[in-house]
């Protein structure tokens, strides 16, 4: 599934709920599906700052050059939000991740979490995921240049 | 009941708002209070009838504005029992008041000296002193709180010595609600000839404030936590101290005469009010204090204490809920945690139910950490809150916990 397709699927899933409580209950459920970060990476180095709750995020490249994210949070709603992002962005190439506009967050009614006054750090999470993608992209470019030489 | 809560609620237009389709239950008053029409109208009236720059013009409008501004100062001075209106300096708020003193206090602080604060201070009454210590090489001495969230005056006795230059502490903790024995602590400091600054940000709307009785050298508060607008606050200082401290910002009203080689400064209170002041804010603050006084601070305190007791008893019924801050002398603030549930999750879901509370470290990170926590949920009360609102809050909390546990 492409990022766009995954986003669309999530928007459809969320459209079933018209009550905010059901929506959040679902978000909490989603948190349980999050590919959990290896305990050894649950350190300050992998902690995303700017969150009222703690969020750890780790990324690595798989054999096909796709970024695989794992994460965790001590707050269940935050965990649900990270889970959504991981669901959409994980196992995609750095370029795909950097090109994603993540409009679905708006469409499922989580836009309020994008405001800088919200302390859950959704913005920081996205930035950190893009940061990883950019770093991997840079690394592979360097490799390419070396090969061309 | 001593307060007509129904009428009071009508005075606050914002309380009619709904959030997510639910009536607003505003329990974040320690962050900022709402404003009554009396305050809003006063500010509108100023711009409609009196606006002009103060202390400058010979024209009638300037005279009107100046009279209004100075009578606000006089009223506030009188309310807090300052011995002279010139001891009331208008600032942007408690944070600016404290920074003002911490900046110019450098004159009196040398390497090896000590500043005494407590572990329950808001960052605004901690970082300015910490940075003063960094600049001067002085030591920051922190008096801890006990498990109940109270200070031990004996600890002050032990901490005070001939190196101490100042004691700075909160009148009321914004996290724990503890009312500190500021008069007693001031007395202890005075025995060592040490001046005292009290951060009254959480006190002014909730308990009587009498600076003459406390006898502190400095007292600070913000208007916006006491039904007044944002961007206005007070620094009270004893004349003797304000006179011997140097000015802190330059220009405007604080000038007496300027020559290219030298400037002489205006007298109190203008010496510390550089630039055009926040006149409408000062008038709004006067209106707010008048509003408090009209209802009687003792009545407000009694009513808020009843709400606090009710909320405390209700919260104590919830399993695995722990109230942080159980001081015998306490007011208007309840912080709590629920085992195994993150404060942020609770706050987010309560918001969805129209309930405004605050979660996190409440700008008092070292204090929250000293309790071994990363954050609490804080409910904070004002005179317009009701028992019914606390019931709504409890219903919502129980529902939220059932979702999260």
């Amino acid at each position: 599934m492409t990022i766009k397709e995954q986003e669309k699927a999530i928007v459809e899933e969320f459209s079933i709920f018209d009550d905010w409580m059901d929506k959040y209950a679902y978000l909490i459920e989603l948190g349980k599906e999050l590919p959990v970060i290896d305990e050894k990476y649950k350190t300050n180095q992998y902690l995303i700052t700017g969150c009222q709750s703690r969020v750890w995020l780790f990324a690595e490249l798989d054999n096909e050059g796709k970024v695989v994210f794992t994460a965790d949070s001590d707050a269940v709603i935050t965990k649900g939000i990270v889970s959504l992002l991981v669901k959409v962005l994980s196992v995609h190439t750095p370029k795909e991740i950097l090109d994603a506009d993540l409009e679905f967050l708006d469409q499922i009614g989580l836009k309020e979490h994008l405001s800088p006054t919200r302390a859950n750090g959704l913005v920081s999470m996205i930035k950190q995921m893009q940061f990883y993608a950019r770093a991997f992209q840079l690394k592979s470019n360097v490799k390419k240049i070396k090969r061309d030489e | 009941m001593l307060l007509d809560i129904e009428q009071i609620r009508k005075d606050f237009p914002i309380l009619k708002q709904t959030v997510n389709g639910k009536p607003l239950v505003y329990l974040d008053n320690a962050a900022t209070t709402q404003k009554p029409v009396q305050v809003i109208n006063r500010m509108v009236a100023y711009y409609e009838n009196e606006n002009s720059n103060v202390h400058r013009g010979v024209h009638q409008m300037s005279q009107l504005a100046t009279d209004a501004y100075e009578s606000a100062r006089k009223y506030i001075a009188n309310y807090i029992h300052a011995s002279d209106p010139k001891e009331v300096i208008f600032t942007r708020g408690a944070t600016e008041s404290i920074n003002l003193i911490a900046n110019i206090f450098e004159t009196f602080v040398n390497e090896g000296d000590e500043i005494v604060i407590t572990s329950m201070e808001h960052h605004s009454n901690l970082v300015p002193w910490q940075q003063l210590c960094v600049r001067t090489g002085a030591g920051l001495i922190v008096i801890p709180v006990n498990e109940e969230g109270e200070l031990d005056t004996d600890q002050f006795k032990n901490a005070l010595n001939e190196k101490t230059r100042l004691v700075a502490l909160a009148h009321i903790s914004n996290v724990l609600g503890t009312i500190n024995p500021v008069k007693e602590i001031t007395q202890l400091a005075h025995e060592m000839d040490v001046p005292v600054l009290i951060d009254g940000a959480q006190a002014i709307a909730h308990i009587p404030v009498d600076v003459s009785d406390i006898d502190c050298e400095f007292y600070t508060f913000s208007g916006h936590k006491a039904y007044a607008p944002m961007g206005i606050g007070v620094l009270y200082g004893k004349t003797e101290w304000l006179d011997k401290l140097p000015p802190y910002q330059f220009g405007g009203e604080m000038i007496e005469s300027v020559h290219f080689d030298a400037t002489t400064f205006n007298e109190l209170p203008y010496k510390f009010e550089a630039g055009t002041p926040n006149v409408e804010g000062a008038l709004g603050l006067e209106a707010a204090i008048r509003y408090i006084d009209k209802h009687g601070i003792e009545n407000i305190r009694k009513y808020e204490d009843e709400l606090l007791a009710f909320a405390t008893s209700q919260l104590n019924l919830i399993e695995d809920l722990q109230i942080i801050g159980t001081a015998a002398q306490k007011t208007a603030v309840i912080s709590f945690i629920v085992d195994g549930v993150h404060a942020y999750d609770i706050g987010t879901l309560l918001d969805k139910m129209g309930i405004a509370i605050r979660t996190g470290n409440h700008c008092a990170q070292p204090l929250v950490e000293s309790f071994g926590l990363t954050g609490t949920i804080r409910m904070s009360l004002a005179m317009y809150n009701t028992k019914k609102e606390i019931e709504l809050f409890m219903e919502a909390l129980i529902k939220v916990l059932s979702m999260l546990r």
Side-chain angles (χ1 to χ4, degrees):
Chain A
M1 242 197 272
T2 66
I3 287 180
K4 267 284 157 221
E5 284 165 352
Q6 184 62 264
E7 286 190 35
K8 206 172 153 232
I10 290 172
V11 172
E12 271 164 22
E13 278 164 26
F14 269 86
S15 69
I16 306 165
F17 312 113
D18 28 62
D19 184 42
W20 68 268
M21 271 196 64
D22 296 335
K23 205 185 269 186
Y24 272 83
Y26 182 59
L27 198 59
I28 293 165
E29 279 309 305
L30 277 177
K32 294 175 186 160
E33 293 172 20
L34 174 70
V36 174
I37 188 168
D38 195 316
E39 278 298 318
K40 70 179 176 209
Y41 298 126
K42 271 175 103 169
T43 60
N44 281 344
Q45 196 188 337
Y46 296 98
L47 198 62
I48 297 175
T49 52
C51 307
Q52 218 182 74
S53 48
R54 289 183 292 177
V55 180
W56 298 268
L57 179 74
F58 178 73
E60 57 195 337
L61 272 193
D62 67 7
N63 298 334
E64 295 170 35
K66 289 177 176 170
V67 187
V68 179
F69 291 107
T70 49
D72 202 3
S73 172
D74 53 357
V76 295
I77 293 171
T78 314
K79 201 169 165 176
I81 294 170
V82 193
S83 179
L84 276 179
L85 290 174
V86 169
K87 219 174 162 139
V88 170
L89 296 177
S90 197
V91 204
H92 286 284
T93 65
K95 185 177 184 318
E96 286 165 346
I97 292 167
L98 291 168
D99 288 346
D101 57 18
L102 302 176
E103 262 178 359
F104 80 106
L105 291 169
D106 198 355
Q107 289 159 0
I108 61 173
L110 280 177
K111 202 195 173 189
E112 63 200 58
H113 293 284
L114 283 166
S115 128
T117 59
R118 287 282 162 167
N120 74 359
L122 178 54
V123 175
S124 314
M125 285 179 217
I126 296 170
K127 271 193 192 151
Q128 190 62 29
M129 292 172 106
Q130 290 169 336
F131 175 80
Y132 274 121
R134 204 165 291 126
F136 286 128
Q137 198 176 40
L138 213 63
K139 235 188 208 169
S140 67
N141 286 348
V142 170
K143 268 186 206 154
K144 253 186 235 159
I145 292 166
K146 278 189 179 158
R147 266 204 306 272
D148 293 347
E149 280 169 355
Chain B
M1 200 183 302
L2 295 159
L3 298 178
D4 182 354
I5 302 301
E6 216 172 299
Q7 181 52 48
I8 287 171
R9 289 186 71 81
K10 282 186 194 149
D11 289 337
F12 290 80
I14 208 168
L15 298 178
K16 293 187 209 67
Q17 291 288 320
T18 55
V19 175
N20 297 313
K22 305 252 171 30
L24 167 67
V25 175
Y26 188 78
L27 295 169
D28 193 18
N29 295 289
T32 197
T33 58
Q34 302 303 341
K35 323 302 172 198
V37 284
Q38 286 82 349
V39 169
I40 298 166
N41 291 347
R42 180 66 192 95
M43 292 163 70
V44 171
Y46 169 70
Y47 281 116
E48 285 182 348
N49 309 313
E50 298 153 284
N51 177 52
S52 213
N53 209 333
V54 291
H55 305 129
R56 307 285 202 288
V58 290
H59 55 83
Q60 174 151 359
M61 277 300 150
S62 176
Q63 199 51 55
L64 268 180
T66 306
D67 287 350
Y69 183 63
E70 289 308 323
S71 80
R73 191 192 310 277
K74 202 169 155 188
Y75 182 81
I76 293 158
N78 195 41
Y79 181 80
I80 63 169
H81 301 270
S83 56
D84 195 301
K86 72 181 179 187
E87 295 182 321
V88 169
I89 314 291
F90 285 120
T91 63
R92 279 196 298 132
T95 300
E96 190 182 49
S97 300
I98 297 165
N99 273 282
L100 191 162
I101 295 299
N103 269 293
I104 56 182
F105 217 75
E106 208 169 313
T107 320
F108 300 106
V109 180
N110 296 307
E111 198 177 337
D113 288 347
E114 290 174 356
I115 304 286
V116 174
I117 63 166
T118 81
S119 73
M120 69 164 82
E121 299 312 314
H122 186 281
H123 295 163
S124 290
N125 197 30
L126 188 167
V127 184
W129 306 117
Q130 178 195 63
Q131 295 303 309
L132 170 67
C133 290
V134 169
R135 291 196 303 274
T136 56
L140 189 69
I141 308 299
V142 183
I143 308 286
V145 298
N146 66 14
E147 270 175 36
E148 281 72 42
E150 295 167 320
L151 293 170
D152 177 358
T153 46
D154 280 343
Q155 300 248 23
F156 276 92
K157 270 186 213 153
N158 297 336
L160 289 159
N161 60 52
E162 66 289 343
K163 289 184 287 183
T164 315
R165 289 293 159 266
L166 183 100
V167 171
L169 82 155
H171 198 163
I172 295 178
S173 159
N174 72 314
V175 178
L176 308 166
T178 312
I179 306 174
N180 288 320
V182 288
K183 188 178 174 179
E184 201 183 331
I185 291 167
T186 302
Q187 218 166 359
L188 287 174
H190 286 177
E191 282 167 19
M192 298 296 293
D193 285 325
V194 173
V196 177
L197 177 142
I198 293 164
D199 167 13
Q202 296 297 338
I204 192 75
H206 304 285
I207 60 171
V209 170
D210 183 336
V211 292
S212 295
D213 182 53
I214 299 168
D215 202 26
C216 55
E217 278 60 38
F218 306 104
Y219 193 95
T220 66
F221 62 89
S222 299
H224 75 95
K225 292 188 198 286
Y227 313 108
M230 292 181 173
I232 188 76
V234 163
L235 164 65
Y236 157 82
K238 281 184 182 169
T239 304
E240 170 207 352
W241 272 93
L242 293 178
D243 271 340
K244 69 180 170 191
L245 285 164
Y248 124 103
Q249 284 181 341
F250 304 91
E253 194 50 40
M254 58 81 61
I255 301 297
E256 187 185 61
S257 75
V258 179
H259 308 280
F260 283 119
D261 54 352
T263 294
T264 54
F265 303 119
N266 205 340
E267 58 189 18
L268 288 176
Y270 314 113
K271 176 178 154 187
F272 292 110
E273 291 182 1
T276 293
N278 178 0
V279 179
E280 89 271 21
L283 303 188
L285 179 55
E286 179 193 355
I289 304 282
R290 280 186 188 276
Y291 188 81
I292 292 173
D293 206 25
K294 181 175 91 178
H295 295 288
I297 191 70
E298 289 289 5
N299 294 337
I300 293 169
R301 181 178 182 182
K302 194 157 175 272
Y303 176 66
E304 288 177 353
D305 279 351
E306 282 167 23
L307 289 181
L308 184 80
F310 178 64
T312 305
S313 67
Q314 291 292 298
L315 284 169
N316 278 332
L317 296 176
I318 294 186
E319 212 178 319
D320 296 330
L321 184 147
Q322 189 194 342
I323 291 175
I324 308 296
T326 48
Q329 293 295 317
K330 197 182 155 169
T331 189
V333 172
I334 307 182
S335 267
F336 63 92
I337 53 162
V338 182
D339 278 355
V341 185
H342 201 284
Y344 169 77
D345 289 327
I346 294 177
T348 303
L349 295 180
L350 284 178
D351 168 59
K352 288 281 159 197
M353 302 174 87
I355 289 163
I357 47 95
R358 185 161 167 188
T359 62
N361 63 37
H362 318 293
C363 297
Q365 199 180 336
L367 173 69
V368 171
E369 283 173 358
S370 76
F371 279 88
L373 305 169
T374 55
T376 73
I377 300 130
R378 181 186 71 183
M379 164 209 268
S380 53
L381 305 163
M383 64 192 283
Y384 43 67
N385 287 127
T386 62
K387 206 173 151 185
K388 173 81 194 152
E389 284 182 305
I390 291 168
E391 283 166 353
L392 286 172
F393 165 82
M394 289 307 300
E395 262 172 48
L397 179 65
I398 288 163
K399 199 167 172 187
V400 161
L401 289 176
S402 74
M403 275 179 82
L404 293 170
R405 294 207 270 208

